[in-house]
Amino acid sequence: MDTDNGSTILREGFLVKRGHVVHNWKARWFVLMPDKLLYYKYEGGKRDSSQRGKILLKDCALTCPFLEYENRPQVFKLQTANGVDHFLEACSREERDEWAADISAAVDKLRTADGNKSANNKGKAGSRLNNIDLSKVLDSMYDVHSGIRMSNHTEQGGTYSNCFSGSEVVDWLVFMQLALNRVEAVTLASALLEEGFLRPVGVRSLEAQRTAGLSEQFMDDSCALYSFSDSLKKRGCVKAEMSLSAVELSGKVIKRGYLLKQGHRRKNWKVRLFVLRSEPAFLHYYDPTKDDISPVGGFSLRGCLVSSLEDNGVPSGVKGNIQGNLFKIITQSDTRYFIQAPSHQEKMDWIEAIRKHT
């Protein structure tokens, strides 16, 4: 891959970026280098040779998580030295935090090179937590406008309304600057749980509560569900409902990632967010340019066949000059999906993960 002046590539991959003029969201291929973040358009299964933009990292400020986009919880904000805001979305919380950590490390290294070392706040963390008023934290969480967002979550065939995941609580505490980092946020959330301000909801968090030694341990987990205590005035009651679509989406998330998919009608290639779930085993895909949290497609993995396609030449069934890192899924109803991964390793990882659930 071409790079500016042959600089080292620290990280690369798909992120979804909000436009500056028209505030739409588009998938771009990002390349992190020691002093800049480059991004490219990615069409027809390949990255453009010319970059679409450049973000200089010197004196940048990073906010992660950035929770002002209701249906986009994996967004982080990068503000340049000139005050320009860039909003970037990753495919998962883990990817988001890894990108943020690598970008922060690059920014800190540039700052250290200039002799302006960032202030060290670690020594203050313990005393800060000791002095926090949990009732005020709860009031902030409960605030209709700036509080934590309650929504429906599915787990093992049930839909739980008016609740939130452990990861969403940790994200909110960090975003609202009530905690300096995720470790501190888990400690604070565990205190809220221990005082009875929060309660576990659903199978995963209740199982953790029953496990020895975890009775007051809050879980930074997107599958562990929590709600406000029954003793509080409710913004809404928690209840479990059942539906076919809820069952499809209720399985444990095994893998998430951006892949390119060939359309069934126009045969054009588009970046999609793929989510692999188990129990029941389904593969869903989402349009990352939309705020809608519903999948645009998906299928049961039962009876599916998945196979790697050769890298030499364009395989049969693939339209356009698309080559490399391709694989095919044939469903039980004989529908064929042609998919391209960003790298050979990611292709093999997806094939292995899917085969385990067919």
Side-chain angles (χ1 to χ4, degrees), residues 3 6 33 95 111 123 136 138 172 186 259 326 340-341 355:
T3 59
M33 294 160 69
E95 280 278 316
R111 186 179 294 123
K136 290 183 178 179
L138 185 68
W172 184 85
V186 168
L259 299 169
L326 291 162
Q340 185 182 45
R355 279 179 177 161

Side-chain angles (χ1 to χ4, degrees), residues 109-286:
K109 195 168 183 180
L110 290 170
R111 186 179 294 123
T112 302
D114 285 346
N116 298 320
K117 295 187 178 180
S118 58
N120 185 356
N121 293 319
K122 291 182 181 178
K124 300 177 182 178
S127 60
R128 260 173 35 88
L129 280 183
N130 289 337
N131 295 326
I132 281 183
D133 185 335
L134 292 179
S135 296
K136 290 183 178 179
V137 174
L138 185 68
D139 289 343
S140 297
M141 287 185 73
Y142 212 73
D143 188 273
V144 169
H145 302 292
S146 61
I148 190 166
R149 175 175 168 261
M150 295 195 294
S151 60
N152 294 345
H153 289 263
T154 56
E155 185 187 19
Q156 297 190 10
T159 299
Y160 298 89
S161 58
N162 298 307
C163 57
F164 31 77
S165 72
S167 295
E168 287 171 336
V169 173
V170 172
D171 279 352
W172 184 85
L173 290 170
V174 173
F175 178 67
M176 295 299 289
Q177 299 181 339
L178 292 167
L180 293 174
N181 51 49
R182 302 191 76 83
V183 174
E184 189 175 297
V186 168
T187 302
L188 182 53
S190 296
L192 291 167
L193 192 63
E194 184 177 358
E195 291 297 323
F197 293 139
L198 300 179
R199 66 184 182 92
V201 174
V203 177
R204 186 168 176 81
S205 54
L206 284 168
E207 280 297 321
Q209 190 180 49
R210 295 189 191 106
T211 303
L214 289 178
S215 57
E216 284 92 27
Q217 177 58 53
F218 192 85
M219 297 178 70
D220 183 2
D221 189 321
S222 58
C223 297
L225 304 181
Y226 297 89
S227 184
F228 293 114
S229 171
D230 284 335
S231 61
L232 299 171
K233 182 181 179 182
K234 299 173 185 171
R235 276 163 50 184
C237 61
V238 179
K239 57 182 179 180
E241 303 165 341
M242 287 287 290
S243 71
L244 183 60
S245 60
V247 171
E248 270 191 32
L249 298 169
S250 67
K252 179 184 177 183
V253 174
I254 301 298
K255 191 171 178 62
R256 296 168 60 99
Y258 291 124
L259 299 169
L260 286 109
K261 174 188 165 294
Q262 179 177 274
H264 287 294
R265 294 177 185 171
R266 295 185 180 180
K267 307 298 182 185
N268 54 347
W269 288 80
K270 291 186 177 180
V271 177
R272 292 290 182 249
L273 171 63
F274 278 78
V275 180
L276 170 63
R277 294 180 173 90
S278 68
E279 298 178 8
F282 271 83
L283 186 63
H284 293 95
Y285 51 94
Y286 301 74

Side-chain angles (χ1 to χ4, degrees), residues 54-124:
K54 177 193 299 185
I55 304 171
L56 298 178
L57 296 179
K58 185 179 179 182
D59 296 327
C60 273
L62 188 141
T63 304
C64 179
F66 185 82
L67 301 180
E68 291 188 11
Y69 293 103
E70 187 171 302
N71 289 330
R72 294 181 180 272
Q74 314 310 339
V75 170
F76 60 94
K77 182 178 80 169
L78 193 59
Q79 185 179 67
T80 68
N82 297 325
V84 178
D85 291 334
H86 298 272
F87 300 96
L88 309 174
E89 181 183 34
C91 65
S92 66
R93 178 174 59 83
E94 292 78 13
E95 280 278 316
R96 180 198 69 191
D97 292 347
E98 287 171 10
W99 269 102
D102 288 345
I103 292 170
S104 292
V107 172
D108 288 344
K109 195 168 183 180
L110 290 170
R111 186 179 294 123
T112 302
D114 285 346
N116 298 320
K117 295 187 178 180
S118 58
N120 185 356
N121 293 319
K122 291 182 181 178
K124 300 177 182 178

